[in-house]
Amino acid sequence: MIDDVAKEYLHSDLRELREVMLWKLEGLGEYEIRRPLTQTGTNLLGLVKHLALSESRYFGEVFDRPFAEPLPRWDDLGQRGADMWATELETREEIIGRYRRVWAHSDATIAALDIDSPGHVPWWPRPQVMLFNVLVHLLAETSRHAGHADILREQLDGSTGTAADYATRQRDAAFWEVRRIQIEQAAAAVVAKPHHGLQP
C-alpha cells in the first residue's frame, strides 16, 4: 500500500515538473528559446530536448523497455552535449512532441512496474537499481532543469513561477532596479566589514 502511494507521489510531482518545462517556452519566439543565455550555452529549448533524451533512457532501456524512436547511445562520446541545444533543422514542435511521446512511454513503464522493480543503469557506479531510484533521480533532474529554466526565462522577460496561475506579477523596471541595488548594497556591506570571512 505505502509503495503505491510513494510511487504515485513521485510520479505526480514528475508530471507537474514536465508541464513547468513546457510552460517556460510559452510566449517566446524561436530565437529566445534557442539562444545561449549562459557561458556554457544553456538555453530553454535545449533543456527540453535534454530531458526528453534523459527520461527516455531512464524509463526505457534501464528497464528493458526501449523507447521506440532512435536515440544516440549513452556511451557515444561524439554525441555528448548534442542534446543540450537545438539545431536550425529541429523545430520547437518536433522537440516538444518528442518530449510528450517520452512522457507517454515513461508513464506506461511507471504504471507497469512495482516501485521495487529492478533495473540496470550501466553508466552509474552502482548500476543495479529499482524503479524507486530512477523516479527519484528523474524527479531531481527535472526539478534542477526547471530551476535553470526559471532563471533563463527571468533573464528574457522577467517572468518567474511554475505556471501562469502562479507566475510572479510583473513589476516595472524601476521596482527591480531598486531591489537589485538593495541586494548589491547588502552584499557589499558584508565584504566591507572588518575581519570579513573570519569565523567567530
Side-chain angles (χ1 to χ4, degrees):
M1 176 68 168
I2 189 68
D3 287 352
D4 291 339
V5 172
K7 185 171 85 164
E8 178 51 35
Y9 185 88
L10 294 169
H11 192 188
S12 175
D13 280 1
L14 178 60
R15 288 191 295 258
E16 287 178 19
L17 284 168
R18 292 166 174 165
E19 294 291 350
V20 169
M21 289 303 302
L22 295 189
W23 181 68
K24 291 299 177 182
L25 304 177
E26 287 185 17
L28 294 176
E30 288 298 324
Y31 178 65
E32 286 80 14
I33 64 172
R34 295 165 180 268
R35 64 180 281 220
L37 293 165
T38 69
Q39 276 193 314
T40 58
T42 308
N43 61 92
L44 288 168
L45 191 59
L47 290 174
V48 172
K49 182 180 173 182
H50 167 72
L51 283 171
L53 177 62
S54 184
E55 188 170 322
S56 67
R57 277 202 184 113
Y58 278 104
F59 290 117
E61 61 190 270
V62 165
F63 296 102
D64 199 24
R65 297 171 59 93
F67 184 59
E69 299 173 31
L71 301 169
R73 282 195 43 83
W74 66 271
D75 55 358
D76 182 352
L77 298 180
Q79 288 294 316
R80 289 270 166 93
D83 61 321
M84 296 300 292
W85 58 284
T87 72
E88 65 274 18
L89 301 177
E90 295 175 295
T91 68
R92 175 197 306 236
E93 293 75 22
E94 177 185 341
I95 290 171
I96 290 174
R98 183 184 311 119
Y99 194 29
R100 289 189 180 280
R101 293 190 301 277
V102 166
W103 297 358
H105 179 263
S106 299
D107 290 347
T109 295
I110 294 165
L113 301 178
D114 293 328
I115 200 163
D116 59 353
S117 293
H120 182 76
V121 187
W123 53 92
W124 281 10
R126 291 180 290 177
Q128 303 310 317
V129 298
M130 297 181 296
L131 179 63
F132 171 79
N133 305 104
V134 172
L135 270 167
V136 169
H137 177 77
L138 257 295
L139 183 58
E141 181 171 2
T142 307
S143 181
R144 176 173 171 254
H145 290 314
H148 294 153
D150 203 32
I151 292 170
L152 297 183
R153 181 67 189 254
E154 183 179 354
Q155 287 183 56
L156 290 168
D157 66 0
S159 176
T160 63
T162 58
D165 293 344
Y166 301 107
T168 301
R169 288 194 182 126
Q170 298 299 315
R171 300 183 191 248
D172 63 21
F175 171 88
W176 290 116
E177 181 58 18
V178 169
R179 173 64 56 85
R180 194 198 65 73
I181 290 170
Q182 180 184 22
I183 296 168
E184 175 64 33
Q185 288 172 341
V190 170
V191 175
K193 285 184 177 179
H195 310 296
H196 167 68
L198 297 179
Q199 295 297 319

